[in-house]
Each structure stands twice: as structure tokens, then as C-alpha cells.
């Protein structure tokens, strides 16, 4: 059964469109299970009815005509109950409904499985047989597995708009929503430009072309390029290979001729398919044929064909990238975005980014935040290779992407984009004004930085210091560990740019989802593994070099603050303090006269929450990392789109933990700040101010919004809102009550869809 399933999935994935995919599934499942009927019913959201979309065994003329409501028939029952239904004699069931046009009265046994994608029922997969019998557990499991595969296929069809004419009105599904993780805040409406991974044939989509001659010319150039490469390789290896081994290059050259691969691809291009799609189709057919052969030698030839295909594709992709035209409002889509891809889009054309892989901490996400480009990462369900040229909406606040948006949704998000633009202009006037509440409470607003580009943005928005400088960013950009001298230059630039304002530099925080290509950390559970201070204490040479560079960079400026990440107990803190004092002694012995800078601890592990008093006694300040603290308190991987809905920094447990940290830190006479997404949320910032945080540090983009909000709310009112928030036991209720209170105060303009990702 597993082998059968693998073959069906392989065949379905290479189907041209949804209709072909459904046709393959009903045919192959019927064959595999030895049943007389296999049918697929899809739920049309327009009419809320299950429509027969493909069948083997029923009357094919009933496709698209037979439908039933969720409260009708056995199919409706399977869809409503969201679980399989296995009946020995379907006609005996009270929900059985007979459709004369399908000719199904001949079939007694019935097995139906719901097709569910992201908790949403999208259809039902059914098999039927004439004789009365109960399908066994293995058959039921096979059908459930098949329906799970089908869910992905349907989701892909929704994304690319290939589901059309599902209902009688012929409208079909207008838009599809995909959930990822927020990479950079903001909203964008534009057209997708897909950057395919180099030389990966499997993800090349089908694409119809008008200029067939141009495609034929591209393919001919690619053929000549690969032929030339083969000849050069053969000549280069002439002295190292035996004649029979060199003959393989001749075989490759023969395969490229018109009578072989070359001719077949040309024939497919002439049908109107673009060169890359034609190549994928032909190579795929040859590879499948070779892989199914019994002879080991012939099976190995599949890899030769794949290799040739990849070489040809590389040439075709290079030719396309040179002729790629970026329209206004380009939304760049890729399996894994790289900084180099961002650089290829002409200035002013790029409005949004979408990456299938990666997290909110990816280098590209950090770069996107610095550039102010709305970004969604980790969009694992998006069939990205098929959305080229399709209209998209990117919601960088919620981490959502909509494909083929309806007119209503497009208008809604276009309004948000315009609202954001006007808001940014209006907030510019606040730059020179302090963040003081109407009743006189002063709240310093700092920024999180990592790139030099962040400096200008922070200064334009009136930042009063740096609450978090991510030192790992220069490490991530490098191909090796930067030297002390290189680090010194980078840190000096940051410290000088903000002088005399304070700059809080976090020591190297790698591990988890922040990897260095030259220092790989492979772990089953990286978030609970070797990361942050754990890595640098195990490698004091890295820690000492970095601390020395920071201290030397602060000479004459004296605005450095050092922050230690991922501290889970006193022993780690004491070890780190010992190394910092050692580095300070070394630097002074070398003649650099710098005072000992303030040293602080990040509170981002639950253990640190309960040891706040003990930690505060040994350091100069504390800083809460709200992103990680929320993640660890709620046991939710914040970069996993499947549990993204559970990640909520207004969860009662998070609010109570934050309250405890401030109370205990102040009890020891130490200031406490907070950095992370929560500090940049205007509504959440009110609660943080009421708790008594001494400063808030956020993304530069959000700083004006937070300043505007806090300048409208009295400290007394903020404390009332905090008391109410802490009285609730449900995060949803906290969101709603906070939103309602702000609306009643006339502050709703900052809590619309464009204000933040939670309200």
C-alpha cells in the first residue's frame, strides 16, 4: 500500500491542473482498492454544497451537476462529522440519498473520508462496491491517507486559481489564504515574481507562451551551452579517465541530439509550453521510465538524465533572469529568499516578500525590517512555483498571504497600505517630541538594530537609544568568524552613530533558528539546545574576542551597555561576568582606557523570571526578551505556522510573568526594559508602561506609532487597563477588552489592521 501511495502521489504531483489530479486520484485509488467506484466531492464555498468533481464508476455526465448540502446524503454527513464513514449497506442508513443520474443504486458498501486542510473541510473522497461488506482497517487508513494528500493538492489549486466553475455560477473560489509567520510588519498588494531555486526541475511550473520561436531559441542556446560544457569536461579529464569512462560524455552528447531528449523537448515547446516546463516534462517522463526498470544499470541512467536536465535548466534560468522584467508593486516569492535576490529588484519596485522557508529571525527578515518591506516567512503550504504573475496580498502583521484576492479584500488592503503611508507622514511630526503621557509620565523609547541601515531609520524616527543591538547579524553575513579588529570597526560605527545615547549590545546569540553557515549546530530540538550564552561560555575564545572588541569600540564614547542572552541561572551569569572582567583587564593592560560598562541580563527563560531578584543583585539592569519568553512560557515554537495561533504575548501567563519581573527588579533597585514584538505593539505598550517598565525597545518602524499612542493615554488610565487585563483568564478576552477601551478613548486609528499583528 505504501508503494502504491508513493506512486499515486508522484503521479498527482506531476498533474497539469486540478482536474487532471482528481482524475488520476479516482482512477488509481479505484484500482488500488479493487473497488467499483471512487469519487471526489469538493465543497463549493459560494453555495456551501458538496459538488461531484471526479468519478470512476459513476455516470461521468453527473460531474459538476450532482451536489448536496452538508445536511444531505452520506457525503454531507462525512463532511459535517469530519471523520470517516464505513457502511456495509449504504441504503440502510437514514441519511442515504439516491441520485438517479449517477446510477449508484447498484452499490451497497460505502467508505467516505473527509478532505481537510488547516481545519477546514474542502471535500469528501468516497469508494463504493456492489457487494455488501465492511471495508477493513487497512483500506480505511489508506483512504484517509489519500484524502490528506488530496487536501494539499486542492490547497495548491486554490492558490493558483485553477479551481474555477465549481458552482453553477461559474465563480469558483476567488481567493485562498495561506498562513506563515510575520517577517516584517506592513501590508502590500502586488504581483508575484517567483525566484525558482537554481536547477531544480521538480518545482518548474507549466506556463503557456505566445512567442514559441523565442522559447525554441532559448532552448537551442541552452543545448549548445551544455554540449560545450561536456566537450570541455571530457578534454579536461582526458588524462584521468579510461577510454570507456570518457565514453559517458559521448552518451550525454548523443542524448542532447534531436533524435533524443533535445527533439522531444522541442516538440513539447511547439505545443505552446515554455522551455523550462517542456524540459521538466520530458526529463520527468524519462526518469520515471528508468526508475521503474528492473535492471540496476538502466535504473542508474535515471541520474544521468536528471543531471543533464539540471544542466540545461541552469542555462535556461540564467537566460530568464537576464530578461526578467520587474513590474511596479513586485512581490518577490521564493522557496528561500536570499539578500542577493532583494538586490536584483530595481529600487522602488519591491513592495513585499514571501519565503516558503525561514523564520522571523532569518537574515532576510531582519534585512526586510530594516528596509521597511512587508514580509511573510515560513509559508510551507504555498505552492510557490505556480504563483508567478498572480496577484497577491502580503500581510506582514499577521503572517498571512492571500492569492487571487477578491475585489473587496484588495480594496480593504489597498486602504491599509494608503492609511499606513499617510500615518507615517503624520507621525513624522512627532520625531523631536518626547514620549510623555498627558499626566507627565516619561517613557523612553529605544530601538532594536542589527544592520547599519537600521541606524538612519532609528534616527529619523526619534529613537532615544538602542535597547538591543543584535551582534549576530555581522556574524551571519560573514563567511567566517569576524576578527577582533573587524568587530571593533562594526561596533564603533554603531556606538558613534548614536552617541551620546546608550547602545545595548547583546553578546553573540546563535543557535535555535539563527545559524552560522561556518559553525553549524545540528540538533533535534534547537530551541531547547545549545544557543545563546551556552555556546559562548563553551567557547570563551569567541566571547572574549567579542567583549574586547566592544570595550575597545567604546573608548572615548562610553555609551556601551553589554547584554547577556539566554541566562537560565546564577552560575551562567557569574561565569559570563568573570569573562567580561577578564576582557576589561586585558584591554586596560593594552592601554585602552575604558570604564567598566553597565552589564545586564536578558529575561527570556521562565527560570529567569523566578530568579529575577537574585539576577538583579549581580547586574546593572535587566531586559525582557518578550519573543522568547512568550515562546517558552507557552511551549509554542513562534516560527511554526501550524501553532502560530497559540503564540500570544497577551496571554495571562505572559502578562503575569512580566509584572513579576518588573516588581522584583525594582525591588532590588534595578531598571528593567523590554525588547521584542510586544514593545512595538501600541496597545500592548500601554500595559507595559503601566507595569512600570523603564524603557521600551522596538523596531524603528513601530516607534512613531507607540509614541503617538502613549502621548494620548494618562498613566492612571493605563493602570486601570492593566488591572482589567490581569483580571481575565483568556487572551482573546484581553484583546477584545483592550481594543474596546481604546476605541472608547478615540484611539482606534492605531489598532486597525495596519497597526499591529494582534489587534
Amino acid at each position: 500500500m505504501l508503494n502504491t501511495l508513493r506512486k499515486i502521489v508522484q503521479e498527482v504531483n506531476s498533474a497539469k491542473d486540478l482536474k487532471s489530479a482528481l482524475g488520476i486520484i479516482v482512477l488509481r485509488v479505484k484500482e488500488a482498492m479493487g473497488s467499483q467506484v471512487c469519487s471526489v466531492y469538493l465543497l463549493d464555498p459560494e453555495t456551501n454544497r458538496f459538488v461531484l468533481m471526479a468519478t470512476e464508476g459513476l455516470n461521468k455526465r453527473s460531474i459538476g451537476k450532482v451536489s448536496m448540502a452538508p445536511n444531505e446524503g452520506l457525503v454531507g454527513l462525512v463532511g459535517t462529522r469530519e471523520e470517516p464513514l464505513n457502511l456495509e449497506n449504504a441504503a440502510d442508513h437514514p441519511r442515504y440519498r439516491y441520485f438517479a443520474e449517477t446510477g449508484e443504486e447498484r452499490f451497497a458498501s460505502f467508505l467516505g473520508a473527509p478532505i481537510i486542510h488547516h481545519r477546514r473541510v474542502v471535500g469528501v473522497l468516497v469508494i463504493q462496491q456492489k457487494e455488501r461488506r465492511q471495508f477493513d482497517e487497512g483500506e480505511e487508513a489508506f483512504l484517509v491517507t489519500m484524502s490528506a494528500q488530496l487536501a494539499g493538492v486542492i490547497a495548491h489549486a486554490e492558490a493558483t486559481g485553477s479551481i474555477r466553475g465549481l458552482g453553477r455560477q461559474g465563480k469558483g473560489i476567488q481567493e485562498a489564504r495561506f498562513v506563515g509567520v510575520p517577517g516584517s510588519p506592513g501590508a502590500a498588494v502586488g504581483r508575484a515574481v517567483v525566484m525558482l531555486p537554481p536547477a531544480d526541475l521538480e518545482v518548474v511550473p507549466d506556463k503557456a507562451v505566445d512567442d514559441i520561436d523565442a522559447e525554441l531559441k532559448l532552448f537551442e542556446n541552452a543545448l549548445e551551452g551544455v554540449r560545450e560544457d561536456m566537450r570541455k569536461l571530457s578534454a579536461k579529464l582526458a588524462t584521468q579517465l579510461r577510454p570507456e569512462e570518457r565514453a559517458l560524455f559521448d552518451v550525454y552528447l548523443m542524448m542532447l541530439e534531436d533524435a533524443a531528449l533535445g527533439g522531444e523537448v522541442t516538440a513539447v515547446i511547439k505545443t505552446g509550453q515554455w522551455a523550462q516546463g517542456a524540459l521538466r516534462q520530458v526529463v520527468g517522463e524519462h526518469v520515471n521510465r528508468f526508475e521503474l526498470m528492473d535492471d540496476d544499470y538502466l535504473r542508474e541512467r535515471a541520474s544521468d538524465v536528471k543531471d543533464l536536465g539540471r544542466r540545461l535548466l541552469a542555462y535556461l534560468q540564467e537566460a530568464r533572469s537576464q530578461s526578467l522584467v520587474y513590474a511596479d508593486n513586485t512581490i518577490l516569492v521564493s522557496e528561500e529568499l536570499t539578500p542577493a535576490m532583494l538586490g536584483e529588484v530595481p529600487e522602488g519596485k519591491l513592495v513585499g516578500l514571501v519565503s516558503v522557508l525561514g523564520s522571523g529571525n532569518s537574515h532576510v527578515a531582519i534585512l526586510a525590517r530594516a528596509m521597511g518591506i512587508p514580509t511573510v516567512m515560513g509559508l510551507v503550504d504555498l505552492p510557490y512555483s505556480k504563483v508567478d504573475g498572480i496577484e497577491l496580498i502580503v500581510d506582514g502583521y499577521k503572517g498571512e498571504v492571500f492569492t487571487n484576492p477578491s475585489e473587496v479584500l484588495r480594496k480593504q488592503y489597498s486602504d491599509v497600505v494608503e492609511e499606513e503611508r499617510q500615518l507615517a507622514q503624520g507621525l513624522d511630526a512627532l520625531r523631536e517630541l518626547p514620549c510623555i503621557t498627558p499626566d507627565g509620565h516619561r517613557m523612553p523609547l529605544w530601538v532594536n538594530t542589527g544592520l547599519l541601515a537600521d541606524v538612519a531609520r532609528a534616527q529619523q524616527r526619534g529613537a532615544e537609544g538602542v535597547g538591543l543591538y543584535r551582534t549576530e547579524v555581522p556574524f551571519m553575513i560573514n563567511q567566517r568568524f569576524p576578527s577582533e579588529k573587524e568587530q571593533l570597526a562594526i561596533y564603533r560605527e554603531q556606538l558613534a552613530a548614536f552617541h551620546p545615547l546608550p547602545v545595548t549590545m547583546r553578546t553573540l546569540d546563535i543557535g535555535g533558528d539563527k545559524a552560522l553557515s561556518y559553525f553549524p549546530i545540528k540538533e533535534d530540538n534547537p530551541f531547547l539546545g545549545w544557543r545563546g550564552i551556552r555556546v559562548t561560555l563553551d567557547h570563551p575564545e569567541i566571547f572574549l574576542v567579542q567583549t574586547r572588541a566592544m570595550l575597545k569600540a567604546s573608548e572615548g564614547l562610553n555609551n556601551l551597555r553589554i547584554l547577556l542572552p539566554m541566562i537560565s541561572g546564577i552560575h551562567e551569569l557569574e561565569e559570563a561576568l568573570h569573562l567580561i572582567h577578564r576582557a576589561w583587564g586585558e584591554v586596560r593592560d593594552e592601554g585602552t582606557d575604558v570604564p567598566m560598562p553597565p552589564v545586564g541580563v536578558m529575561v527570556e527563560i521562565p527560570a529567569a523570571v523566578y530568579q529575577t531578584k537574585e539576577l538583579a543583585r549581580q547586574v546593572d539592569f535587566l531586559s525582557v526578551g518578550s519573543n522568547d519568553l512568550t515562546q517558552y512560557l507557552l511551549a509554542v515554537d513562534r516560527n511554526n505556522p501550524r501553532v502560530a495561533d497559540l503564540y500570544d504575548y497577551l496571554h495571562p501567563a505572559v502578562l503575569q510573568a512580566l509584572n513579576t519581573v518588573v516588581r522584583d527588579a525594582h525591588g532590588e533597585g534595578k531598571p528593567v526594559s523590554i525588547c521584542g514584538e510586544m514593545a512595538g505593539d501600541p496597545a500592548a505598550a500601554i500595559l507595559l508602561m503601566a507595569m512600570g517598565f523603564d524603557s521600551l525597545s522596538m523596531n524603528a518602524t513601530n516607534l512613531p506609532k507607540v509614541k503617538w499612542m502613549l502621548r494620548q493615554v494618562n498613566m492612571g488610565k493605563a493602570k486601570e487597563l492593566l488591572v482589567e487585563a490581569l483580571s481575565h483568564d483568556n487572551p482573546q478576552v484581553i484583546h477584545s477588552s483592550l481594543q474596546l477601551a481604546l476605541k472608547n478613548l478615540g484611539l482606534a486609528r492605531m489598532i486597525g489592521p495596519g497597526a499591529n499583528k494582534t489587534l
Side-chain angles (χ1 to χ4, degrees), residues 322-613:
Q322 286 165 0
S323 62
L324 206 55
V325 178
Y326 294 97
D328 292 338
N329 299 330
T330 285
I331 292 174
L332 206 56
V333 182
S334 182
E335 182 180 36
E336 190 156 28
L337 287 169
T338 64
M341 289 178 183
L342 271 61
E344 286 177 35
V345 185
E347 202 172 338
K349 303 256 187 187
L350 186 64
V351 296
L353 297 169
V354 176
S355 185
V356 173
L357 303 176
S359 70
N361 282 318
S362 302
H363 179 205
V364 167
I366 291 165
L367 199 62
R369 288 197 286 272
M371 294 165 72
I373 300 168
T375 303
V376 176
M377 311 290 289
L379 218 68
V380 290
D381 288 320
L382 181 77
Y384 76 98
S385 66
K386 296 177 181 173
V387 299
D388 197 48
I390 282 176
E391 191 167 16
L392 297 183
I393 287 172
V394 174
D395 185 333
Y397 299 105
K398 294 179 182 162
E400 295 177 345
V401 168
F402 297 88
T403 57
N404 301 304
S406 63
E407 194 55 49
V408 175
L409 197 67
R410 193 184 301 115
K411 170 86 171 65
Q412 187 184 329
Y413 271 92
S414 295
D415 290 348
V416 168
V417 173
E418 179 55 26
E419 184 188 303
E420 288 279 284
R421 193 187 62 77
Q422 290 180 5
L423 199 58
Q425 284 181 339
L427 293 173
D428 277 350
L430 290 175
R431 187 189 313 162
E432 304 302 327
L433 298 175
C435 183
I436 299 178
T437 63
D439 55 353
H441 180 78
R442 180 89 169 82
M443 174 53 81
L445 300 184
W446 295 3
V447 284
N448 304 332
T449 66
L451 295 156
L452 201 58
D454 293 331
V455 175
R457 291 173 67 82
Q459 289 169 340
Q460 284 163 13
R461 286 161 175 76
E464 299 171 64
V466 176
L468 173 67
Y469 171 65
R470 300 181 177 94
T471 60
E472 64 273 8
V473 177
F475 283 77
M476 289 161 84
I477 296 167
N478 248 304
Q479 298 305 307
R480 54 170 175 74
F481 280 109
S483 67
E484 183 177 320
K485 198 173 176 183
E486 287 168 327
Q487 289 184 58
L488 191 157
I490 294 165
Y491 303 154
R492 181 77 182 180
E493 220 165 6
Q494 279 283 331
L495 292 163
F498 285 97
H499 185 263
L501 300 171
V503 175
T504 312
M505 294 195 163
R506 179 173 68 187
T507 60
L508 186 61
D509 188 16
I510 54 169
D513 54 358
K514 288 176 283 189
L516 301 181
S517 58
Y518 49 89
F519 190 72
I521 300 171
K522 295 271 184 276
E523 294 180 311
D524 288 340
N525 198 339
F527 285 103
L528 299 183
W530 202 45
R531 61 174 300 202
I533 200 74
R534 299 167 182 181
V535 176
T536 49
L537 287 181
D538 283 353
H539 281 276
E541 75 282 11
I542 296 173
F543 190 90
L544 286 165
V545 164
Q546 183 175 38
T547 309
R548 284 164 53 88
M550 287 179 183
L551 292 166
K552 286 181 179 178
S554 71
E555 188 180 15
L557 299 173
N558 302 332
N559 59 337
L560 168 69
R561 296 168 14 123
I562 295 176
L563 184 59
L564 303 168
M566 221 33 208
I567 295 287
S568 62
I570 294 296
H571 63 290
E572 288 171 333
L573 174 57
E574 287 173 343
E575 263 188 87
L577 287 172
H578 170 71
L579 289 173
I580 291 171
H581 279 90
R582 180 178 147 188
W584 183 52
E586 289 171 4
V587 164
R588 283 162 61 96
D589 289 346
E590 289 172 25
T592 305
D593 184 25
V594 286
M596 182 67 184
V599 177
V601 158
M602 282 200 89
V603 177
E604 48 190 343
I605 296 176
V609 173
Y610 296 105
Q611 280 209 295
T612 299
K613 283 183 180 177

Side-chain angles (χ1 to χ4, degrees), residues 277-331:
L279 179 66
R280 185 214 69 230
Q281 190 178 320
V282 171
V283 169
E285 286 166 4
H286 279 274
V287 168
N288 286 344
R289 218 171 294 140
F290 279 126
E291 284 181 342
L292 292 171
M293 289 177 177
D294 295 328
D295 186 283
D296 286 346
Y297 174 80
L298 290 173
R299 264 206 308 275
E300 283 300 313
R301 298 292 64 76
S303 61
D304 294 342
V305 178
K306 277 183 195 168
D307 181 49
L308 264 187
R310 277 193 290 264
R311 288 171 183 273
L312 287 164
L313 181 61
Y315 273 96
L316 290 171
Q317 286 182 334
E318 191 182 340
R320 180 177 184 251
S321 67
Q322 286 165 0
S323 62
L324 206 55
V325 178
Y326 294 97
D328 292 338
N329 299 330
T330 285
I331 292 174

